[in-house]
């Protein structure tokens, strides 16, 4: 008997100025299927799913839901058709309870909300799918994994049969990833369809039933998971072999260059985000900072770079620098690659040329008398894009025309060209495909070989084991442990990430 797909997209095309994002794509999802959508940055995955979720309208093609042609010209129309999208950054109101967030904006919500009723309905849905949650808890009291469950229940409450999840494991601990996969399997057994946009091939192999791979806006391969492996998926994504970076730990690191002692840093809302953190960083080593996002990593890096005020001690080569401003720290050789590549790291509406000198425009090498010499700057920018393989259409175009991987290479190249002695990098491969991520890791390992001390905030524990020498784990603003990577395990780090106390572990 022939199965009817729940979702069928046929001949979908979408063009933006100068870019064909989707080119005659066909895509199907069947009942009870966990379907992974893979592809490099800029391959068209998010555009295709945004069309299915009603955010974009296709230029060509049709969409069928359960065999019937539909017009999904708004997110509400998509929800009415049973299609919901859960974004990487959750869309919840922190001061509201779980139950209030779930019913907010739902088409069949009562005009007058009765708390007991909506909490009972929330609890019923959560029990049906193994989504353990307290309906009366306020969102700000929940972990990120629990907040993700609220987003899933929101979609189930709205009657969604198809859930699109964009990079769902990015902010989760290893334990929370396992719990999420159990939930997704339970949903698929009850006939729900799940589309996962992800770049983590190991997770695809573990959870997916079927995989579709996009490259440059076209489908280049699709198959059941049992017929695939990671190397084949990688070749389909990037059309070439990817060489995976691996740190060589046979070389001992050099002297301590940065010493942090009892550092305290306040967050944007005035709370203590970093609580008496202490550690040292040595020349020629990569120290990774592990932890669920929001445990003080951002504030720690910004304090070290001079962007955010702090108390406690920061010594650079034995000299106290906590009082120095950003430019003074840059002049010492302390450079930063922020987690927000567009906004904090780069100015989206400025050109590649302007962005390449944002941090050092005042140096004599770029000046002619008192003015910036753009001929010199252009040559400097050309050197960066050539050396770091940044693909672009025109140096004068705004950087927001670039893909995520090229943005990151431009940002990292700009900082490396200033010859850092300490490099602070937050989530440098977040959202990047496997090939772009390996390019970035390759650059960082080259810096390590030069003797640069690198503090690297990462979310993928497997990457930490490949490229870091030591790992400091942050939990609720404190460093709960500092470990030698070759003397620990993913399970041990995962335990520290959720606040477990382990014996024989150095505390920061």
């Amino acid at each position: 008997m022939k199965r009817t797909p729940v979702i069928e997209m046929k001949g979908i095309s979408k063009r933006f100025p100068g870019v064909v994002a989707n080119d005659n794509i066909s895509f199907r999802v069947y009942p009870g299927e966990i379907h992974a959508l893979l592809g490099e940055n800029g391959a068209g995955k998010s555009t295709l799913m945004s069309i299915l979720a009603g955010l974009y309208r296709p230029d060509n093609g049709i969409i069928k839901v359960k065999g019937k042609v539909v017009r999904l010209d708004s997110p509400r129309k998509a929800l009415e058709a049973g299609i919901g999208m859960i974004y990487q950054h959750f869309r919840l109101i922190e001061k509201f309870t779980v139950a209030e967030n779930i019913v907010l904006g739902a088409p069949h919500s009562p005009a007058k909300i009765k708390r007991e009723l909506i909490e009972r309905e929330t609890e019923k849905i959560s029990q049906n799918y193994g989504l353990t949650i307290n309906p009366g808890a306020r969102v700000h009291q929940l972990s990120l994994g629990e907040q993700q469950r609220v987003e899933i229940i929101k979609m189930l409450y709205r009657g969604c049969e198809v859930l699109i999840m964009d990079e769902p494991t990015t902010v989760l601990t290893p334990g929370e990833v396992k719990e999420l996969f159990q939930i997704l399997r339970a949903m698929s057994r009850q006939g729900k369809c799940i589309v996962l946009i992800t770049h983590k091939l190991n997770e695809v192999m573990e959870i997916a039933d079927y995989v579709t791979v996009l490259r440059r806006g076209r489908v280049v391969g699709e198959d059941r998971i049992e017929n695939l492996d990671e190397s084949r998926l990688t070749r389909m994504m990037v059309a070439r072999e990817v060489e995976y970076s691996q740190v060589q730990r046979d070389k001992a690191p050099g002297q301590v260059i940065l010493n942090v002692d009892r550092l305290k840093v306040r967050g944007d809302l005035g709370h203590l985000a970093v609580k008496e953190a202490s550690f040292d960083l040595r020349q020629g080593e990569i120290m990774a900072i592990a932890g669920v996002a929001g445990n003080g990593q951002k504030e720690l890096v910004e304090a070290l770079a001079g962007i955010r005020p702090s108390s406690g001690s920061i010594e650079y080569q034995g000299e106290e620098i906590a009082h120095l401003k950003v430019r003074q720290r840059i002049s010492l050789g302390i450079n930063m690659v922020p987690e927000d590549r567009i906004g904090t790291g780069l100015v989206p509406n400025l050109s590649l040329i302007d962005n390449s000198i944002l941090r050092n425009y005042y140096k004599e090498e770029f000046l002619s008398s008192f003015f910036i010499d753009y001929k010199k700057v252009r040559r400097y920018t050309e050197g960066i894009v050539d050396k770091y393989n940044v693909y672009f259409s025109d140096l004068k175009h705004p950087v927001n025309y670039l893909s995520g991987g090229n943005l990151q290479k431009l940002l990292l190249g700009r900082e490396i060209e200033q010859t850092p002695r300490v490099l602070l990098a937050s989530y440098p491969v977040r959202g990047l495909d496997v090939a772009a991520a390996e390019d970035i890791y390759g650059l960082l390992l080259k810096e390590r070989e030069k003797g640069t001390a690198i503090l690297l905030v990462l979310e993928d524990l497997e990457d930490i084991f490949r490229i870091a020498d030591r790992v400091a784990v942050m939990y609720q603003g404190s460093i709960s442990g500092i470990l030698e990577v070759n003397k620990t395990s993913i399970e041990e780090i995962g335990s520290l990430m959720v606040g477990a106390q382990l014996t024989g572990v150095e505390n920061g």
Side-chain angles (χ1 to χ4, degrees):
M1 183 176 175
K2 186 178 179 181
R3 289 196 305 162
T4 301
V6 178
I7 297 295
E8 186 172 14
M9 305 177 80
K10 298 178 68 175
I12 298 294
S13 295
K14 181 65 179 178
R15 298 169 185 83
F16 297 102
V19 177
V20 180
N22 293 155
D23 186 4
N24 195 32
I25 290 178
S26 293
F27 178 78
R28 296 174 184 83
V29 185
Y30 288 90
E33 184 175 80
I34 300 177
H35 196 128
L37 186 61
L38 292 177
E40 290 186 275
N41 296 106
K45 310 182 299 296
S46 295
T47 300
L48 185 68
M49 289 300 100
S50 293
I51 289 170
L52 186 57
L55 291 172
Y56 294 149
R57 297 183 186 181
D59 298 328
N60 302 101
I62 62 169
I63 301 173
K64 291 183 179 180
V65 177
K66 297 180 180 179
K68 182 181 177 182
V69 176
V70 295
R71 182 180 175 86
L72 306 177
D73 52 10
S74 71
R76 182 168 288 278
K77 286 287 182 66
L79 285 169
E80 290 171 356
I83 303 164
M85 188 162 179
I86 298 172
Y87 296 89
Q88 191 172 338
H89 301 289
F90 306 139
R91 300 183 174 188
L92 302 171
I93 297 176
E94 292 195 347
K95 292 185 178 180
F96 283 16
T97 67
V98 168
E100 288 167 346
N101 269 280
I102 285 165
V103 302
L104 187 66
H108 57 281
S109 293
K112 186 176 181 180
I113 294 175
K114 296 181 180 179
R115 179 168 295 176
E116 291 183 3
L117 176 62
I118 61 173
E119 287 185 0
R120 280 202 304 271
E121 290 183 2
T122 299
E123 196 163 1
K124 182 179 178 181
I125 295 171
S126 65
Q127 288 175 352
N128 285 343
Y129 294 94
L131 291 154
T132 307
I133 201 76
N134 177 5
R138 300 199 179 275
V139 166
H140 68 81
Q141 299 172 319
L142 305 179
S143 71
L144 291 169
E146 290 171 322
Q147 290 181 32
Q148 187 178 66
R149 293 179 196 177
V150 178
E151 289 281 20
I152 294 172
I153 296 171
K154 271 174 60 178
M155 295 303 157
L156 296 172
Y157 181 79
R158 286 155 175 74
C160 290
E161 296 292 325
V162 179
L163 268 72
I164 305 164
M165 303 189 74
D166 186 9
E167 300 287 356
T169 64
T170 296
V171 296
L172 305 184
T173 66
E176 287 173 329
V177 171
K178 288 181 180 179
E179 290 177 3
L180 173 64
F181 285 178
Q182 289 171 359
I183 290 165
L184 297 184
R185 290 189 186 103
M187 292 171 64
S188 71
R189 286 194 293 269
Q190 296 194 33
K192 303 293 183 184
C193 308
I194 297 130
V195 181
L196 298 179
I197 304 173
T198 181
H199 66 281
K200 297 181 179 180
L201 298 183
N202 60 320
E203 294 180 356
V204 170
M205 297 304 300
E206 182 179 348
I207 189 66
D209 301 310
Y210 200 89
V211 182
T212 296
V213 182
L214 301 186
R215 188 168 72 238
R216 296 179 182 176
R218 294 183 177 182
V219 175
V220 294
E222 54 181 322
D223 208 338
R224 292 199 60 79
I225 197 67
E226 55 263 30
N227 301 325
L228 299 166
D229 56 35
E230 288 191 28
S231 61
R232 186 179 169 196
L233 287 173
T234 302
R235 287 195 300 272
M236 283 196 288
M237 286 171 61
V238 301
R240 62 179 173 86
E241 292 289 342
V242 176
E243 294 184 10
Y244 287 88
S245 303
Q246 179 77 42
V247 71
Q248 300 297 320
R249 299 193 179 95
D250 52 355
K251 180 182 176 182
Q255 296 179 336
V256 171
I257 189 170
L258 197 70
N259 186 274
V260 178
D261 187 38
R262 296 191 298 275
L263 190 71
K264 294 181 181 179
V265 189
R266 295 201 174 274
D268 294 334
L269 300 178
H271 65 288
L272 200 59
V274 178
K275 304 168 185 175
E276 296 199 349
S278 298
F279 63 92
D280 58 46
L281 187 63
R282 297 172 289 191
Q283 294 174 329
E285 79 162 344
I286 295 177
M287 175 185 270
I289 301 289
V292 177
N295 275 272
Q297 301 96 315
K298 178 175 183 285
E299 291 82 1
L300 173 65
V301 171
E302 289 181 350
L304 297 178
I307 295 173
R308 188 180 290 269
S310 62
S311 61
S313 173
I314 305 172
E315 288 187 354
Y316 175 81
Q317 293 188 315
E319 296 291 330
E320 182 61 53
I321 64 165
H323 61 287
L324 297 183
K325 298 190 182 300
V326 174
R327 187 182 291 190
Q328 293 171 304
R329 298 191 198 195
I330 292 173
S331 67
L332 291 175
I334 301 174
N335 288 73
M336 174 189 175
V337 177
E339 62 178 282
D340 180 15
R341 61 179 76 112
I342 282 287
T344 304
L346 301 165
V347 180
N349 294 323
L350 292 184
S351 69
L352 277 76
I353 293 173
D354 289 327
N355 272 285
S356 71
I357 59 165
L358 278 180
R359 303 262 282 176
N360 55 356
Y361 63 89
Y362 52 85
K363 291 188 175 180
E364 289 185 10
E365 62 187 287
F366 303 124
L367 301 178
S368 178
S369 298
F370 296 105
F371 301 98
I372 294 175
D373 187 331
Y374 273 95
K375 287 184 180 179
K376 294 178 181 178
V377 175
R378 186 181 183 92
R379 287 195 296 271
Y380 176 75
T381 306
E382 288 171 345
I384 291 177
V385 299
D386 288 343
K387 185 174 180 179
Y388 298 95
N389 298 316
V390 180
Y391 295 102
F392 64 97
S393 55
D394 192 312
L395 288 176
K396 293 183 179 179
H397 281 172
V399 294
N400 58 8
Y401 284 18
L402 300 180
S403 70
N406 286 307
L407 284 169
Q408 197 68 13
K409 284 189 282 188
L410 175 65
L411 181 53
L412 188 56
R414 183 186 73 191
E415 300 305 309
I416 290 175
E417 285 304 295
Q418 296 177 61
T419 318
R421 302 198 65 193
V422 174
L423 184 61
L424 314 168
S426 295
Y427 306 109
V429 300
R430 175 177 278 175
L432 302 189
D433 60 72
V434 62
E438 290 310 313
D439 286 343
I440 297 301
Y441 284 147
L443 292 172
L444 291 169
L445 288 176
K446 286 180 182 177
E447 281 303 295
R448 174 187 178 273
E449 291 304 307
K450 294 178 188 175
T452 306
I454 301 172
L455 188 71
L456 196 58
V457 182
L458 289 179
E459 57 199 358
D460 193 314
L461 296 186
E462 291 192 358
D463 287 349
I464 288 174
F465 276 82
R466 281 198 296 122
I467 73 162
D469 300 286
R470 289 190 296 158
V471 55
V473 183
M474 291 196 73
Y475 175 70
Q476 293 185 351
S478 298
I479 293 180
S480 55
I482 300 174
L483 305 154
E484 298 284 340
V485 169
N486 58 0
K487 296 179 182 177
T488 186
S489 65
I490 285 181
E491 289 73 23
E492 193 169 34
I493 293 174
S495 296
L496 288 171
M497 287 170 65
V498 294
Q501 299 295 319
L502 303 180
T503 58
V505 174
E506 177 188 352
N507 291 320

